[in-house]
Amino acid sequence: MVSIKEIAAACGVSTATISKALNGAHDVSEATRQRICRMADEMGYHPNAAARTLKTKRTYDIGVLFKDEAGSGLTHEYFSAVLEGFKNEAEAKGYDITFINTNNASMSYLDHCAYRNVEGVAVVCANFSDPQVLELVSGHIPVVTIDYVFNGKAAVLSDNLKGITELFQYVYGQGHRKIAFIHGAPSSVTEARTVGFYRAAEELGLTVPDQYVRKGVFHDASTCALLTGQLLDLPDPPTCILFPDDFSALGGISEIRQRGLRIPEDISVAGYDGIHMAQVMDPPLTTLHQKTRTMGATAARHLIEQIEHPKTTLPHTTVVGGDLWQGRSVAAPQKHD
Amino acid sequence: MVSIKEIAAACGVSTATISKALNGAHDVSEATRQRICRMADEMGYHPNAAARTLKTKRTYDIGVLFKDEAGSGLTHEYFSAVLEGFKNEAEAKGYDITFINTNNASMSYLDHCAYRNVEGVAVVCANFSDPQVLELVSGHIPVVTIDYVFNGKAAVLSDNLKGITELFQYVYGQGHRKIAFIHGAPSSVTEARTVGFYRAAEELGLTVPDQYVRKGVFHDASTCALLTGQLLDLPDPPTCILFPDDFSALGGISEIRQRGLRIPEDISVAGYDGIHMAQVMDPPLTTLHQKTRTMGATAARHLIEQIEHPKTTLPHTTVVGGDLWQGRSVAAPQKHD
DNA sequence: TAAAAATACAAAAACGATTAAGTAAACAGC
DNA sequence: GCTGTTTACTTAATCGTTTTTGTATTTTTA
């Protein structure tokens, strides 16, 4: 690797001048600046990030902590889309992305961040009660979390309350009065959606029987199928089921069809997330699309804001709204009595 | 940040001794070693990667070039699963993953690798004819590519030839003789599958009419729907369609159902990839599952092998086989004459 | 017991950049 | 013509490690 020293030798000036020329300092004459730049180019010079970091304390590197208990990890479209949005925004602002190693027994997440000198870290898909995560967000490094709020830290949330409300109102508007809800695993997301669900029902003067609301998990089609079966077995089954997410919905839909019921003629269903698949399945799934790329990009902006203006930035929470995708999986319920 | 120097002061020894103690060199007495380690722990010492890199020329950092023309990027399950496998294996071996910035006008991919001092780079989902990619793989940095072979460079391939053959033989075994194939966009993957398709047919004594083979694209449900429609419109339509991938299959399936045909009673279909969804859709999709995580992990091993033993490693190509997922989307064709 | 070898440390250079401080030369002002 | 300012550099320190070489002290060997 050709270093600044060799350019200095080739140009007959000191390394200081090279550095200043390359970084556009004011006390280098235009003539030498050009000569140096040309020479650097010619010799194939590239700055050494390690050396620069050592001196400047800046890495332009952002850590992403991405750990999924369920093991679907990156393949979970919700999270990969957030990551995609985050990556694009960060890269556009001149930062690189490094994964915080989650398979390293000898270093905690925070240690790892310190070791790599990342300037900030995004916690995307982690178990937020993990002590290592707690240690990380309690550290003095800028942090942003997705769909979870740590006191005093920046966060980007999907507007689950508004989302589920919108979804509820939509299916209500289609004529449904027996609306069931299979929700996800206990989490702030589930909490928001559950509250939103009940609140929307209440506002519309609807009382939801307890057995219409089932505790499920996220991203698990077979569990969802099971719970869907329980709903269908009720003496007075719902005419519409809201699933925890689009992927789970597939399981529910299978269960429904195995009983010879048609969607949406016999029963309506809606998902949540708005993953790519929702639009192309049959029938297209009615779902609430979460703007995951926007969320990722917003998170990146928050984090970089903190990195670049630590004194004047107050970490705050941004809520990103979604939009209803009207598929064809929800239709007016049959009138049969 | 507490540095080696401060520990040295606290312990009353030189920084050299600290470094050696911490790195387990032989010329430090066990007593001092322990004293130093305890003190380092106590003071919350963490090595500085930048300083270490500067001296040792090692970063333990691997670059991943991940660029998708279609824009689905990370959300494409095939690639995200490869990345997941790669990441896990690399991390287990002590390497971190940094994305090679694809939104940086001022630096080429190779420059970026040099700047970050990554020790190797995996090219996962790129346009392989991109001049920057060519420059990258022509550089002196260890490289591994996925599903594409550059002369003399390590590569990991999915065994598309064997895969499509297996799939063909399976549907043939189920009784199908009118087998159509919608393939993906021009690429080595498509080439291998197309050759495999024709070869399998030939070996089974089957002649495939030209109009049964359609040029499609990958990961595009609506295009696939269109092409499926064309196949169904043929005077003598196929009894089974092989789609370019599982996701595209969704589009084909929609088209089929819109014409009132049932799967698999009226027509059989098969996908390719074995994404998560295939197992939970209705009916479960018969597909050829590519071991994407294995591919990623294998790629990581190849790359690290080159990094750690550059003298004795000959970059080579590994072919990873897949396995047939027997869903219920393929059944014996109707006998109707 | 003197020489040789081993042990346990220290000193100092080096990695490749940045940057504060210093310095000649050119120039301006009166 | 002397002083004060610019201009365009250079010097040298520094960031946090690693590593080669050097050196006392102790231990072993003949």
Side-chain angles (χ1 to χ4, degrees):
Chain A
M1 284 291 90
V2 30
S3 76
I4 231 177
K5 207 180 282 185
E6 304 170 48
I7 304 180
C11 289
V13 296
S14 73
T15 61
T17 304
I18 303 292
S19 174
K20 284 188 277 191
L22 259 26
N23 291 313
H26 46 286
D27 62 344
V28 174
S29 75
E30 187 54 25
T32 25
R33 212 189 61 77
Q34 290 206 1
R35 188 161 51 94
I36 287 170
C37 288
R38 225 185 350 258
M39 181 63 82
D41 233 41
E42 212 170 282
M43 298 177 69
Y45 168 78
H46 297 296
N48 181 314
R52 179 175 286 174
T53 293
L54 188 55
K55 192 65 184 138
T56 62
K57 308 283 175 211
R58 297 221 52 187
T59 55
Y60 289 94
D61 202 6
I62 290 178
V64 171
L65 177 59
F66 194 97
K67 180 165 176 126
D68 173 26
E69 305 296 287
S72 45
L74 278 167
T75 62
H76 198 316
E77 185 171 326
Y78 179 76
F79 295 106
S80 60
V82 169
L83 181 57
E84 178 86 7
F86 187 92
K87 176 176 179 286
N88 286 335
E89 177 70 19
E91 290 186 346
K93 290 237 163 77
Y95 290 81
D96 283 338
I97 304 289
T98 296
F99 281 116
I100 298 307
N101 195 327
T102 48
N103 299 299
N104 189 330
S106 73
M107 248 192 264
S108 74
Y109 302 153
L110 183 59
D111 290 355
H112 199 260
C113 286
Y115 176 64
R116 286 288 179 196
N117 297 303
V118 297
E119 302 194 37
V121 62
V123 183
V124 179
C125 169
N127 174 355
F128 291 102
S129 58
D130 179 344
Q132 282 203 28
V133 172
L134 296 179
E135 181 204 32
L136 178 60
V137 298
S138 316
H140 22 4
I141 179 173
V143 167
V144 63
T145 51
I146 306 288
D147 268 341
Y148 192 91
V149 179
F150 282 105
N151 183 34
K153 300 290 171 180
V156 175
L157 304 181
S158 182
D159 198 341
N160 285 288
L161 193 74
K162 180 156 146 267
I164 196 79
T165 302
E166 207 169 321
L167 201 53
F168 193 102
Q169 289 171 345
Y170 172 73
V171 302
Y172 183 93
Q174 296 294 306
H176 290 277
R177 297 298 177 268
K178 299 177 184 176
I179 303 168
F181 180 36
I182 297 175
H183 59 66
S187 63
S188 54
V189 170
T190 294
E191 211 172 298
R193 289 200 201 154
T194 309
V195 167
F197 176 84
Y198 278 117
R199 202 182 283 177
E202 199 174 284
E203 277 170 10
L204 293 165
L206 220 59
T207 308
V208 181
D210 283 351
Q211 62 269 34
Y212 274 13
V213 177
R214 302 267 157 177
K215 295 186 216 299
V217 289
F218 287 115
H219 215 252
D220 181 337
S222 55
T223 300
C224 191
L226 203 78
L227 294 167
T228 301
Q230 294 176 3
L231 287 171
L232 298 176
D233 285 340
L234 289 175
D236 186 20
T239 61
C240 178
I241 305 177
L242 308 184
F243 291 119
D245 56 81
D246 296 346
F247 187 80
S248 295
L250 279 180
I253 289 170
S254 285
E255 182 65 27
I256 289 169
R257 289 195 169 139
Q258 255 163 49
R259 297 175 182 233
L261 299 172
R262 295 160 303 157
I263 297 168
E265 292 82 357
D266 300 319
I267 185 165
S268 292
V269 300
Y272 209 103
D273 273 358
I275 64 176
H276 206 156
M277 178 194 77
Q279 306 178 71
V280 295
M281 50 190 279
D282 183 55
L285 188 63
T286 295
T287 186
L288 201 116
H289 173 238
Q290 307 195 79
K291 296 192 182 122
T292 40
R293 280 185 168 76
T294 303
M295 290 173 65
T298 305
R301 267 193 300 273
H302 272 16
L303 196 56
I304 292 171
E305 179 76 15
Q306 288 182 74
I307 290 169
E308 301 190 342
H309 309 289
K311 307 287 181 199
T312 57
T313 304
L314 198 59
H316 65 292
T317 297
T318 300
V319 176
V320 177
D323 43 29
L324 184 71
W325 279 1
Q326 286 185 221
R328 285 198 301 276
S329 67
V330 172
Q334 286 179 315
K335 307 278 176 201
H336 53 73
D337 48 298
Chain B
M1 283 291 91
V2 28
S3 77
I4 230 177
K5 206 180 281 186
E6 304 170 48
I7 304 179
C11 288
V13 296
S14 74
T15 60
T17 303
I18 304 292
S19 174
K20 285 188 277 190
L22 259 26
N23 292 314
H26 47 285
D27 63 343
V28 174
S29 73
E30 186 54 25
T32 26
R33 212 190 61 76
Q34 291 205 1
R35 188 161 51 95
I36 287 170
C37 287
R38 227 189 343 263
M39 181 63 82
D41 233 42
E42 212 170 281
M43 297 177 70
Y45 168 78
H46 297 295
N48 181 314
R52 179 174 285 175
T53 293
L54 189 56
K55 197 60 188 143
T56 63
K57 308 284 175 207
R58 297 221 52 187
T59 54
Y60 289 93
D61 202 7
I62 290 178
V64 171
L65 177 59
F66 194 98
K67 182 167 173 121
D68 174 27
E69 306 296 287
S72 46
L74 278 168
T75 62
H76 197 316
E77 186 171 325
Y78 179 75
F79 295 106
S80 60
V82 169
L83 180 58
E84 177 85 7
F86 187 91
K87 174 175 182 285
N88 285 335
E89 178 69 20
E91 289 186 348
K93 290 237 163 77
Y95 290 80
D96 284 338
I97 304 289
T98 296
F99 281 116
I100 298 308
N101 196 325
T102 49
N103 299 299
N104 189 329
S106 72
M107 250 192 262
S108 74
Y109 302 153
L110 183 59
D111 289 355
H112 199 260
C113 286
Y115 177 64
R116 286 288 179 196
N117 296 304
V118 297
E119 303 194 36
V121 62
V123 183
V124 179
C125 169
N127 174 358
F128 290 102
S129 58
D130 179 344
Q132 281 203 28
V133 172
L134 296 179
E135 181 203 31
L136 178 61
V137 298
S138 315
H140 21 4
I141 180 174
V143 167
V144 63
T145 50
I146 306 288
D147 269 341
Y148 192 90
V149 178
F150 282 105
N151 184 34
K153 300 290 171 179
V156 175
L157 304 182
S158 183
D159 197 341
N160 284 289
L161 192 74
K162 180 157 147 264
I164 197 79
T165 302
E166 207 169 322
L167 200 53
F168 193 102
Q169 289 171 346
Y170 172 74
V171 301
Y172 183 93
Q174 296 294 305
H176 290 277
R177 297 298 178 267
K178 300 178 184 175
I179 304 168
F181 180 35
I182 298 175
H183 59 65
S187 63
S188 54
V189 170
T190 294
E191 211 172 297
R193 288 200 202 155
T194 308
V195 167
F197 176 83
Y198 279 117
R199 201 182 283 178
E202 198 174 286
E203 276 169 11
L204 292 165
L206 219 60
T207 308
V208 182
D210 283 352
Q211 62 269 32
Y212 274 13
V213 177
R214 301 268 159 177
K215 295 185 215 299
V217 289
F218 287 114
H219 215 251
D220 181 336
S222 56
T223 300
C224 191
L226 204 77
L227 294 167
T228 301
Q230 294 176 4
L231 287 171
L232 298 175
D233 285 340
L234 289 175
D236 187 20
T239 61
C240 178
I241 305 178
L242 307 184
F243 291 119
D245 57 81
D246 296 346
F247 187 81
S248 296
L250 279 179
I253 290 170
S254 285
E255 182 66 27
I256 289 168
R257 289 195 168 139
Q258 257 164 48
R259 296 175 182 233
L261 298 173
R262 294 159 305 157
I263 297 168
E265 293 82 357
D266 300 320
I267 185 166
S268 292
V269 300
Y272 209 104
D273 274 358
I275 65 176
H276 206 157
M277 180 194 76
Q279 306 177 73
V280 296
M281 50 191 278
D282 184 55
L285 187 63
T286 295
T287 186
L288 202 118
H289 174 238
Q290 307 196 80
K291 295 190 182 124
T292 40
R293 279 185 168 79
T294 303
M295 290 173 65
T298 304
R301 267 193 300 274
H302 272 19
L303 196 57
I304 293 171
E305 180 75 15
Q306 288 183 73
I307 291 168
E308 301 189 342
H309 309 288
K311 306 289 181 198
T312 58
T313 303
L314 199 60
H316 64 294
T317 297
T318 301
V319 177
V320 176
D323 42 31
L324 184 72
W325 279 1
Q326 287 185 220
R328 285 197 300 275
S329 67
V330 172
Q334 286 181 313
K335 307 278 176 200
H336 52 73
D337 49 298

